[in-house]
């Protein structure tokens, strides 16, 4: 928002601080300002779920009005924002295009096809058009009737008024403010406790690679929300984006229905950021090893939740997996989160191949589709979409200098959207390997890092350029191209860091490596 013409971050500005001052949101800027900015974001794929974009557009409008368009101005400006979907590069491209709209020589696009690709990648319906960057994508909490009761999760230790089928206790109010006052706020905080991988390595085959990870927060930006009338159908919390699988089993919809039926009134269920972190599913931690021997890779591992599924992407390589379930205190986990389990096994297989010095081009055999995407790594998503990646890390400085990706998701439908998803997945993979983690109390399993700034998500200024080549498959469009990119980039990052460190990190995030330190600068 603009406060007396200056951009301010609305989500952390107390209303009392702006009493008596002039406030302008994106809606107040008018079409002549809104539309060129929104069109630039659509043209580059700089907006996916769209939750972060209206704030960025307001910030840009303020900068442009003051003719502050030097790269340093824009870098500083974007540092105030968070985008989990796009990986920033397409946002930077949109900024460049908005500054100089004459540069847009793009071919006309079929935005219905673009929306179909977005749905295939995001796992839920997603609109592609001017309305998304303008904030009108239809988020569940925006569509709730104003007179609905509001239910918020009870913080630990406070009294509840209703319990839903998933065991979450809710506090009800006439308004959000009322409900939150009565519930008491779980204060957002960043812990000083280390985010240590919780599982010990199982007995290991000797001579291979090993990897331990911790719980990983998906970090989607739009907190879970729903609403429902008595005996009605709950509003989906996935109105414009899939939250990387993090809302697939969100309790807010079923809870809204149960509470509406109990109370005889429409009920709106709303998570705060801290609730998402406390109650939402995480990528399961693992501890595993992999060794390449006699034409096969043997993996032994352990994790909470279901054993991961994986098939060797190489014709000339068998993969044998022994996996055990571990019961440890911690937040809920879900294998619905982006390629969870499969990406970990891809990383282990690619690490073992690297450690053995095997030539991947020989392992691929006659598989033309895999050969077409193969770079330094190869990953295949559950859908059959595949990707290869190469990650450059400067030997002297440790800076991740660039990421190269090839992706085959069948018919791309819309290269702009597929490219945007691929860059977003590369950004997430880099963070997973080098910087992302949340601290969890080892005794109680309680999540201790409760602010989105504490997750270690790679900042815009630290994101290296990503070069994406879309390899058109000859079949129909398949989902999961970005899942394959995520796994391929994670594997390539781990291998590149092992090469320049001279020793392979055994944990994610590999926070003590030079590459990780350079990302945090
Ligand atoms: Fe930025 Fe989704 S488009 S958070």
């Amino acid at each position: 928002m603009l406060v007396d013409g200056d951009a301010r971050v609305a989500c952390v500005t107390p209303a009392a601080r702006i009493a008596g001052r002039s406030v302008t949101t994106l809606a107040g800027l008018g079409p002549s300002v809104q539309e060129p900015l929104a069109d630039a974001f659509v043209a580059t794929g700089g907006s996916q779920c769209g939750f972060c974009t209206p704030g960025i557009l307001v910030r840009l409008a303020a900068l442009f009005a003051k003719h502050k368009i030097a790269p340093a101005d824009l870098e500083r400006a974007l540092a105030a924002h968070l985008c989990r979907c796009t990986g920033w590069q397409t946002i930077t491209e949109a900024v460049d295009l908005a500054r100089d709209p004459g540069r847009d020589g793009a071919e006309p696009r079929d935005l219905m096809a673009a929306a179909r690709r977005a749905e295939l990648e995001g796992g839920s319906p997603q609109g592609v058009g001017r309305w998304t960057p303008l904030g009108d994508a239809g988020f569940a909490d925006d569509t709730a009737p104003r007179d609905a009761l509001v239910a918020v999760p009870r913080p630990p230790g406070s009294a509840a008024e209703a319990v839903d089928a998933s065991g979450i206790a809710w506090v009800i109010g006439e308004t959000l403010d009322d409900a939150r006052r009565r519930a008491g706020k779980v204060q957002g905080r960043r812990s000083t406790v280390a985010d240590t991988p919780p599982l010990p390595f199982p007995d290991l085959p000797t001579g291979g690679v090993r990897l331990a990870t911790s719980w990983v927060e998906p970090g989607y930006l739009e907190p879970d929300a729903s609403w429902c009338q008595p005996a009605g159908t709950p509003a989906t919390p996935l109105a414009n984006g899939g939250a990387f699988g993090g809302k697939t089993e969100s309790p807010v919809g079923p809870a809204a229905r149960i509470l509406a039926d109990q109370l005889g009134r429409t009920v709106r269920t709303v998570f705060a950021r801290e609730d998402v972190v406390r109650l939402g599913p995480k990528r399961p931690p693992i501890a595993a090893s992999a060794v390449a021997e006699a034409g096969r890779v043997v993996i032994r591992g352990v994790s909470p939740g279901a054993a991961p599924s994986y098939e060797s992407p190489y014709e000339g390589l068998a993969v044998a997996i022994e996996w055990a379930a571990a019961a440890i205190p911690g937040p809920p986990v879900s294998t619905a989160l982006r390629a969870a389990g499969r990406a970990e096994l891809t990383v282990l297989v690619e690490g073992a191949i690297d450690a053995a010095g095997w030539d991947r081009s020989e392992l691929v055999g006659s598989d033309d589709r895999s050969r077409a995407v193969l770079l330094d790594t190869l990953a295949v998503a559950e859908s059959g979409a595949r990707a290869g990646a190469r990650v450059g890390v400067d030997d002297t400085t440790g800076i991740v200098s660039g990421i190269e990706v090839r992706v085959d998701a069948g018919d791309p439908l819309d290269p702009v959207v597929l490219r945007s998803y691929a860059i977003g997945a590369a950004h997430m993979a880099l963070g997973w390997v080098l910087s992302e983690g949340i601290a969890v109390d080892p005794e109680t399993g309680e999540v201790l890092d409760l602010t989105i700034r504490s997750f270690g998500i790679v900042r815009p200024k630290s994101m290296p350029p990503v070069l994406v080549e879309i390899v058109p498959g000859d079949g129909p469009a398949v989902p999961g191209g970005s899942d394959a990119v995520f796994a391929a980039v994670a594997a390539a990052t781990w291998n590149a860091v092992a090469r320049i460190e001279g020793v392979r990190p055994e944990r994610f995030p590999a926070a003590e490596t030079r590459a990780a330190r350079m990302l945090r600068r």
Side-chain angles (χ1 to χ4, degrees):
M1 64 186 182
L2 303 179
V3 177
D4 293 339
D6 292 326
R8 294 282 177 264
V9 185
C11 59
V12 293
T13 302
R17 196 180 296 163
I18 53 170
R21 300 173 70 186
S22 158
V23 175
T24 308
T25 67
L26 181 60
L29 290 179
S32 65
V33 176
Q34 295 169 345
E35 291 174 1
L37 287 168
D39 290 348
F41 275 69
V42 175
T44 64
S47 183
Q48 291 181 20
C49 78
F51 199 74
C52 69
T53 326
I56 294 175
L57 298 194
V58 171
R59 171 88 52 182
L60 292 175
L63 284 182
F64 289 1
K66 294 175 180 176
H67 305 290
K68 287 181 144 185
I69 55 172
D73 296 325
L74 293 167
E75 186 179 290
R76 227 182 354 261
L78 288 182
H81 294 263
L82 291 161
C83 177
R84 182 55 156 171
C85 300
T86 65
W88 294 106
Q89 183 169 313
T90 51
I91 291 179
T92 309
E93 291 164 355
V95 174
D96 290 343
L97 188 57
R99 272 190 312 195
D100 185 9
R103 289 173 7 140
D104 186 10
E107 301 286 317
R109 289 164 67 196
D110 174 353
L111 293 186
M112 295 294 284
R116 177 78 186 123
R117 172 50 69 190
E119 180 173 356
L120 288 175
E121 295 304 316
S124 74
Q126 189 171 105
V128 177
R130 199 182 261 172
W131 66 89
T132 296
L134 292 179
D136 295 326
F139 302 113
D141 204 37
D142 289 345
T143 59
R146 292 193 171 227
D147 61 351
L149 287 170
V150 183
V152 300
R154 181 195 78 149
S158 64
E161 288 156 15
V163 177
D164 72 13
S166 69
I168 294 178
W170 297 86
V171 179
I172 322 282
E174 285 290 337
T175 64
L176 181 60
D177 190 43
D178 177 30
R180 286 203 170 135
R181 269 181 214 282
R182 295 180 38 214
K185 179 142 171 51
V186 175
Q187 202 54 45
R189 60 177 182 263
R190 176 181 199 146
S191 162
T192 52
V193 175
D195 53 340
T196 310
L199 291 162
F201 286 110
D203 287 341
L204 303 169
T206 53
V209 298
R210 56 186 205 170
L211 174 65
T213 67
S214 188
W215 290 273
V216 182
E217 164 63 39
Y220 52 83
L221 241 61
E222 180 201 358
D224 304 42
S226 180
W227 61 273
C228 193
Q229 297 171 328
T233 302
T236 175
L238 292 161
N240 196 54
F244 319 110
K247 291 182 190 166
T248 307
E249 293 167 6
S250 176
V252 292
R257 170 65 196 267
I258 289 170
L259 297 176
D261 287 353
Q262 283 176 3
L263 299 166
R265 278 183 60 182
T266 299
V267 173
R268 172 182 160 210
T269 42
V270 186
F271 275 7
R273 169 61 48 203
E274 294 81 6
D275 302 320
V276 178
V277 188
R278 284 193 310 118
L279 305 170
K282 313 294 170 232
R283 194 178 188 87
I286 68 156
S289 70
V291 62
E293 56 176 28
R296 65 178 195 152
V297 171
V298 178
I299 297 177
R300 193 171 295 162
V302 60
S303 69
S309 81
Y310 180 82
E311 309 81 38
S312 171
Y314 296 101
E315 275 184 9
L317 183 74
V319 176
I321 302 168
E322 295 171 34
W323 207 265
I328 45 173
V333 296
S334 172
T335 51
L337 288 167
R338 172 169 264 165
R342 179 175 283 266
E344 280 80 346
L345 292 180
T346 299
V347 165
L348 285 159
V349 167
E350 293 293 326
I353 291 173
D354 236 43
W358 290 354
D359 182 347
R360 289 177 180 78
S361 64
E362 288 179 8
L363 296 175
V364 169
S366 62
D367 178 352
D368 287 342
R369 283 188 64 199
S370 289
R371 190 174 289 281
V373 298
L374 181 68
L375 284 164
D376 286 352
T377 57
L378 174 63
V380 179
E382 204 170 345
S383 62
R386 60 202 68 206
R390 179 174 294 142
V391 172
V393 184
D394 187 279
D395 285 348
T396 313
T397 62
I399 292 173
V400 180
S401 52
I403 298 174
E404 193 180 340
V405 167
R406 287 186 192 148
V407 57
D408 167 5
D411 180 348
L413 296 172
D414 180 74
V416 173
V417 167
L418 182 54
R419 174 177 179 269
S420 172
Y421 268 88
I423 295 169
H427 173 256
M428 190 182 276
L430 196 63
W432 178 41
V433 177
L434 293 177
S435 60
E436 290 188 32
I438 49 171
V440 172
D441 186 306
E443 304 294 326
T444 65
E446 185 191 344
V447 180
L448 302 174
D449 282 321
L450 294 180
T451 71
I452 204 163
R453 290 275 185 202
S454 62
F455 303 158
I457 293 171
V458 177
R459 295 167 300 173
K461 72 169 191 174
S462 305
M463 187 58 197
V466 184
L467 183 68
V468 179
E469 182 185 344
I470 295 172
V471 180
D474 47 13
V478 293
S482 47
D483 285 355
V485 168
F486 175 79
V489 171
T493 305
W494 195 36
N495 290 344
V497 169
R499 194 175 59 246
I500 71 144
E501 291 284 314
V503 54
R504 181 174 293 274
E506 293 192 341
R507 55 159 291 178
F508 290 175
E512 299 314 315
T513 59
R514 280 188 295 156
R517 286 200 293 273
M518 296 313 285
L519 272 190
R520 291 197 295 269
R521 261 187 330 165

